[in-house]
Amino acid sequence: MLTTDRQPFDTGYQYIFQRDELQAIKACHDAHGFAVVRDVISPDDVAALKADVDASLNPKGDLGAGETRYDTVFVENAPAMLRLLENDAFMAIARTVVDPDPVVNRSAAILKNVGAKAGGWHSDFDFKAAAPDASMNGGEWPNGLWFYLTGSHPDAGGLAVIENSHRPDWPGPEGYTLRDDRKWFEPADGDWSGIDPLTDIPGTVPLICNPTDLVIFAARTYHAPNAHQGTQPRYSVALVMRPRMKMNIDWPLRDSAKRLLAALPPHLAPYFEHYTSLREPT
């Protein structure tokens, strides 16, 4: 865990900030595609969010060795997520980095057990989107407002990002070729032999942070989780926000979204204007 304000990885620039350094957070996000903000939520918030993750993804306590589970509409199943919208520090950051008038775009939770393999490098951005309102991931707002509720560390399934990979003209790491409309990349010769897919990629920044810290990454930033060699399941949650705009989507609200919207207190309802949830799986 990160126990001091010293950055654990030398990038030549500051990327870990205190929560009141709003303009510096935005400048780092805009320039390098990511930032870490210390102590945005409380230990009580961490505990409540972990309990909601368990209720959603592991209610029977049967998460298998090496298994990863996802909830891609987590805010609809997690009362503690609404605390973020009442958190002055979180909302000040969202208004600075996302938009002065943000609304909830999407949410997620990931529960990753010890033994889970490393994930591949990818961008969440929808490079095929015809316009920002045509896709949940098609705008310039950050695709990552994440909390790693058991901390982020390279040895325990923590996140890594590639600095500066958020730029629209980023050509990919030197010696690698972007594939599938820029969603991922591979060595130019297609041969990964002898290459560590995380540590050997130029520009990689492994993120080490505490459960109360906020991890931000930009719309296009390439990122990947390390293999989980820790001692306890890794919990992470995200509340991704966007500018107040109506999305051009064609799916009906799922029942869990309808329940959420019906139960919202009046002071939080404006943050869910034009809320779409995600398409119900078939």
Side-chain angles (χ1 to χ4, degrees), residues 64-239:
E67 184 180 2
T68 299
R69 296 179 182 176
Y70 305 87
D71 182 343
T72 57
V73 291
F74 185 55
V75 72
E76 298 169 19
N77 304 308
M81 286 291 277
L82 297 181
R83 293 187 185 189
L84 297 179
L85 300 173
E86 299 174 317
N87 181 309
D88 290 341
F90 178 84
M91 291 308 301
I93 294 165
R95 292 187 179 104
T96 301
V97 178
V98 178
D99 188 80
D101 187 23
V103 296
V104 174
N105 183 48
R106 59 182 181 85
S107 62
I110 303 174
L111 184 60
K112 186 180 294 289
N113 209 355
V114 176
K117 296 180 180 180
W121 286 108
H122 64 283
S123 172
D124 290 342
F125 191 74
D126 185 352
F127 292 95
K128 298 179 181 179
D133 67 350
S135 170
M136 307 302 292
N137 294 350
E140 296 300 327
W141 50 83
N143 263 320
L145 292 173
W146 284 86
F147 293 95
Y148 285 75
L149 302 173
T150 40
S152 177
H153 191 280
D155 294 338
L159 190 73
V161 299
I162 299 179
E163 61 183 355
N164 308 324
S165 62
H166 66 304
R167 298 172 180 171
D169 60 351
W170 186 65
E174 184 176 358
Y176 294 78
T177 301
L178 293 167
R179 300 294 190 198
D180 190 22
D181 290 308
R182 303 178 62 88
K183 290 292 289 183
W184 56 280
F185 56 80
E186 65 180 1
D189 61 3
D191 184 8
W192 285 97
S193 300
I195 299 174
D196 186 307
L198 286 176
T199 60
D200 290 345
I201 304 301
T204 296
V205 181
L207 299 184
I208 301 176
C209 60
N210 295 323
T212 56
D213 298 344
L214 174 64
V215 173
I216 306 169
F217 56 84
R220 295 174 176 82
T221 298
Y222 289 73
H223 55 282
N226 286 271
H228 191 352
Q229 305 172 66
T231 60
Q232 61 179 324
R234 194 212 76 182
Y235 292 68
S236 56
V237 301
L239 187 66

Side-chain angles (χ1 to χ4, degrees), residues 4 42 52 58 60 140 174 188 200 204 228 241 245 258 269 279:
T4 73
S42 71
D52 281 350
N58 196 26
K60 298 180 180 179
E140 296 300 327
E174 184 176 358
D200 290 345
T204 296
H228 191 352
M241 307 194 78
M245 57 186 290
K258 293 177 182 177
R279 188 187 299 275

Side-chain angles (χ1 to χ4, degrees), residues 24-58:
I25 294 166
K26 176 174 171 54
C28 184
H29 167 273
D30 292 352
H32 302 292
F34 73 103
V36 175
V37 188
R38 298 294 305 278
D39 296 327
V40 173
I41 59 176
S42 71
D44 285 346
D45 292 330
V46 171
L49 287 164
K50 287 177 67 178
D52 281 350
V53 173
D54 282 333
S56 173
L57 294 177
N58 196 26

